[in-house]
Amino acid sequence: MGCDVGIVGKRSVRGVAAWVFLRGWHVLLLAWMLGPVAAHAVPIPLDSRVCHAVTPIDGPSAEPPAMRSRCGDKPAGYQAARLWLQLEPQRYGIRGVAPTLLVHQTRFDRLAVAFHYTDGSTEWQEVRAGAFGDHWRPGAQITFTPSDQKTRLRSVTLRVDRLASYPLLRLRLVPAGEAGIETAVLGALIGAALTLLLAGAAYNLSLAIGTRRAYLGWQGAWAATVFLWGAIWSQFGLLVAPGMAGTLAAQTSTGLSALSVLLAALSATSALEKGRIPGSLRATALALGVAVAVLGVPATLARGALIETIGPPLAAAVLGNLLAVLACLIVGARRGSEEARDLIAAWSVPMAALGLTQLVDLGTLFWGGGPQILVLFASAWQTLWLSFAASRRLARLRTERDLARAAEARASRLAEHDPLTAIRNRRGFLDAADALIATAARTQASVALLLLDIDRFKAINDDHGHDAGDIVLCTIAARLARWESAHCTVARLGGEEFALLTISPDLPALDFAEQVRAEIAACDHRATIGDQRVTISIGVAEGRPRVDLAELYRNADRALYAAKRGGRNQVRHADKVPAPVASEQRPAATG
């Protein structure tokens, strides 16, 4: 999870780390497969073969004569002074004439390297904080290559001003011909991991904004923090800000790594609903995440022995946080949380990576990237897995939403449409009619209502059966549906009665009703009821522009009754039908 394992330390609760380690056996397999690739690079242990001396910071820059008399033991008082180290390449079995020296520690003020050749000449190369020149390499490495590739080296001397921590210093000798290959491979790997992290950060943040899920926002912030950590730790950031080289970059990396642990804890705990895990367990995970961030402050600012002192408690806090978060995820998964299952799958690799760094001193493995490159790739895996899981869950939710909307639309359609004829029913007609009347009021258009009733429909049912009657109803409804448009709505009001409401008709209302009557009379029903003819009677009522639908319906119904009483198969307009007397009522179901 982006922790600066070089600062965290190497000793912690090994039982916890072992458990995490077993959970991520595939990370071990990766380490076993990739470790031998850098087999020709020789780590330089700080043992009796490396001699040292400590002189005042303002002392002479020439090598102290007493250096060879102090070999193997740990130097003291070097943090505020000048530390000298001397090593002899031939004692490490280096192939070739002039190997490249790689230094894996950047918390210092100044670093100079002297190559002493067997012909008695000496070559000095130097870097300082904020100015590494072309000596920096991916993976927080500083490289020094002898200019003379033909003369053998007798010894190599390092002069370091104000080195932060001698135990965290890593040195390697690499045959000159292989150093470039190692740099290219490590650079490609780090670049790929950073690209994946950046893409994951952007994707998770966009998902968080779109879905308003807090844990995706924390996950995106975590991925962005680890990306910044990786860019600065790997020294690729020096392409943009070369002045950060050295102590400033190392301190920034440590602070970002501590922050990333807290963000990861926030992401994991906020993904689980409150009812899924005990509140005390959630609080413990968050408290340990905060502890890592707090301990990260002195680890970030430290320049001396405090770095080594703060390492063990910081490592314990990191592993404790991992254990607490893992407990949250396990409890959440057992209680049915899908997010918890996804997080367990995503976190297994970073947990195993951090556990591995606590169990095994990876040092300068992985082409010199050491434990940081392992953590970087584990973090890329985590953000990609969570992005995939979130996308999969979002796609499923979208599918469920679409199905729900489709079901709702079907239910709404069934509620507003006649199940037999598939045109609108009375409820659907009233809704559509209200919208049309409102449109007519805005546009000052006229409104015409046509009520249609099939003549002698009861005889069709009696002579040919109700199935034949249903077919006749569907045939007439299908023909009426052709007039359905943005300015006309069609419905079956019940039984054999239909209605058309239209605004701004192209024809006068009576002419339009006559056209409807004629086309219904021309429908072919021979396959259902033989040569028996089916006709309709129509009552028409009009109003403009603001009309009352209930009043319009009463007038059209009065006109329909007059058409029936006048002999059927005809159209009557309400304006030409006298109003009924109080005792006159429309007869029931006469057909």
Side-chain angles (χ1 to χ4, degrees):
M1 294 183 297
C3 185
D4 189 343
V5 292
I7 297 299
V8 166
K10 300 294 183 282
R11 296 180 179 84
S12 58
V13 186
R14 298 204 170 195
V16 174
W19 190 93
V20 178
F21 176 78
L22 292 174
R23 287 283 299 172
W25 59 267
H26 40 294
V27 174
L28 275 180
L29 179 61
L30 183 66
W32 175 75
M33 294 175 64
L34 299 183
V37 175
H40 294 154
V42 179
I44 306 300
L46 301 179
D47 54 17
S48 59
R49 291 176 290 180
V50 178
C51 300
H52 64 80
V54 177
T55 63
I57 196 68
D58 54 355
S61 59
E63 298 180 36
M67 182 182 295
R68 299 183 65 84
S69 64
R70 305 191 64 179
C71 305
D73 60 327
K74 179 181 176 181
Y78 57 85
Q79 283 93 351
R82 178 170 290 167
L83 174 64
W84 300 81
L85 301 174
Q86 188 176 72
L87 54 95
E88 299 174 359
Q90 63 273 16
R91 302 182 66 178
Y92 300 97
I94 295 295
R95 298 181 301 138
V97 177
T100 294
L101 173 68
L102 292 108
V103 181
H104 301 260
Q105 171 62 284
T106 60
R107 291 200 186 195
F108 53 75
D109 284 356
R110 191 180 298 268
L111 169 62
V113 174
F115 295 106
H116 305 287
Y117 296 97
T118 54
D119 62 2
S121 61
T122 297
E123 175 191 356
W124 283 92
Q125 299 180 17
E126 181 178 312
V127 297
R128 59 179 175 82
F132 281 1
D134 59 356
H135 289 277
W136 71 268
R137 294 293 183 272
Q141 302 179 92
I142 309 171
T143 180
F144 299 92
T145 302
S147 299
D148 188 349
Q149 294 289 308
K150 297 181 179 179
T151 306
R152 288 187 175 274
L153 290 177
R154 175 173 50 85
S155 62
V156 179
T157 299
L158 285 80
R159 188 186 72 216
V160 193
D161 293 353
R162 293 191 176 91
L163 177 66
S165 175
Y166 181 75
L168 295 179
L169 182 64
R170 295 289 186 269
L171 304 175
R172 289 191 307 141
L173 288 173
V174 182
E178 298 179 10
I181 298 176
E182 182 180 289
T183 296
V185 172
L186 183 60
L189 287 175
I190 294 175
L194 291 177
T195 301
L196 294 176
L197 279 168
L198 183 59
Y203 185 66
N204 278 280
L205 289 173
S206 65
L207 281 181
I209 295 173
T211 61
R212 297 183 180 180
R213 298 296 298 274
Y215 89 93
L216 289 173
W218 290 120
Q219 174 65 23
W222 169 84
T225 301
V226 177
F227 167 79
L228 289 175
W229 166 79
I232 295 173
W233 160 78
S234 66
Q235 301 189 130
F236 278 137
L238 299 185
L239 295 170
V240 178
M244 288 188 67
T247 300
L248 179 58
Q251 290 176 321
T252 305
S253 296
T254 301
L256 289 172
S257 66
L259 176 61
S260 71
V261 174
L262 175 59
L263 291 175
L266 287 168
S267 171
T269 54
S270 62
L272 306 177
E273 299 175 1
K274 290 185 177 181
R276 299 287 190 182
I277 58 175
S280 58
L281 190 57
R282 185 193 303 270
T284 300
L286 291 176
L288 287 170
V290 172
V292 172
V294 171
L295 290 172
V297 174
T300 298
L301 302 176
R303 287 292 305 270
L306 181 60
I307 291 180
E308 300 165 20
T309 304
I310 203 70
L314 185 55
V318 170
L319 287 176
N321 175 261
L322 286 176
L323 183 60
V325 170
L326 185 61
C328 289
L329 297 181
I330 292 175
V331 172
R334 295 189 64 179
R335 294 184 178 181
S337 172
E338 186 176 359
E339 289 85 356
R341 289 191 290 269
D342 289 337
L343 286 168
I344 288 176
W347 276 50
S348 62
V349 174
M351 286 180 176
L354 284 179
L356 181 62
T357 63
Q358 302 303 312
L359 286 172
V360 182
D361 185 1
L362 298 178
T364 55
L365 293 178
F366 306 111
W367 303 277
Q372 288 89 348
I373 188 68
L374 193 61
V375 170
L376 189 62
F377 264 93
S379 300
W381 158 268
Q382 178 176 336
T383 190
L384 284 180
W385 179 267
L386 287 180
S387 297
F388 167 76
S391 299
R392 181 188 58 191
R393 189 160 51 251
L394 193 62
R396 186 168 61 251
L397 290 175
R398 186 180 292 112
T399 300
E400 292 174 357
R401 180 201 64 190
D402 292 343
L403 291 175
R405 287 181 175 177
E408 182 181 1
R410 286 195 298 271
S412 177
R413 179 176 177 80
L414 289 175
E416 295 185 352
H417 285 73
D418 177 52
L420 175 63
T421 61
I423 62 176
R424 297 181 192 274
N425 57 17
R426 182 179 293 272
R427 174 182 173 180
F429 175 75
L430 292 176
D431 290 343
D434 287 341
L436 284 176
I437 291 174
T439 300
R442 288 195 307 271
T443 60
Q444 299 295 306
S446 62
V447 180
L449 174 63
L450 282 65
L451 288 184
L452 298 74
D453 191 88
I454 301 176
D455 298 328
R456 297 185 174 85
F457 184 71
K458 184 177 183 299
I460 296 175
N461 283 334
D462 292 342
D463 294 344
H464 303 281
H466 287 279
D467 290 343
D470 289 346
I471 295 174
V472 169
L473 288 172
C474 291
T475 302
I476 293 175
R479 182 63 193 88
L480 291 174
R482 297 181 187 178
W483 281 288
E484 181 77 33
S485 69
H487 297 91
C488 181
T489 186
V490 179
R492 179 191 178 197
L493 301 183
E496 65 270 24
E497 187 174 352
F498 298 84
L500 283 84
L501 183 76
T502 179
I503 61 174
S504 300
D506 296 332
L507 297 174
L510 275 176
D511 293 342
F512 176 60
E514 279 292 344
Q515 180 182 340
V516 171
R517 185 199 62 77
E519 292 197 20
I520 295 300
C523 289
D524 187 359
H525 301 282
R526 286 176 295 179
T528 305
I529 57 176
D531 292 333
Q532 185 173 347
R533 190 181 179 204
V534 178
T535 61
I536 60 172
S537 299
I538 302 178
V540 180
E542 289 184 273
R544 59 182 303 124
R546 287 180 170 82
V547 297
D548 179 72
L549 182 60
E551 182 181 358
L552 205 65
Y553 182 88
R554 286 193 295 271
N555 292 333
D557 187 61
R558 176 165 52 86
L560 175 61
Y561 175 51
K564 287 284 190 181
R565 193 171 49 185
R568 301 178 179 84
N569 191 24
Q570 58 183 275
V571 176
R572 290 292 181 91
H573 197 289
D575 292 347
K576 299 181 180 180
V577 175
V581 297
S583 60
E584 186 178 27
Q585 296 182 359
R586 178 181 173 182
T590 61

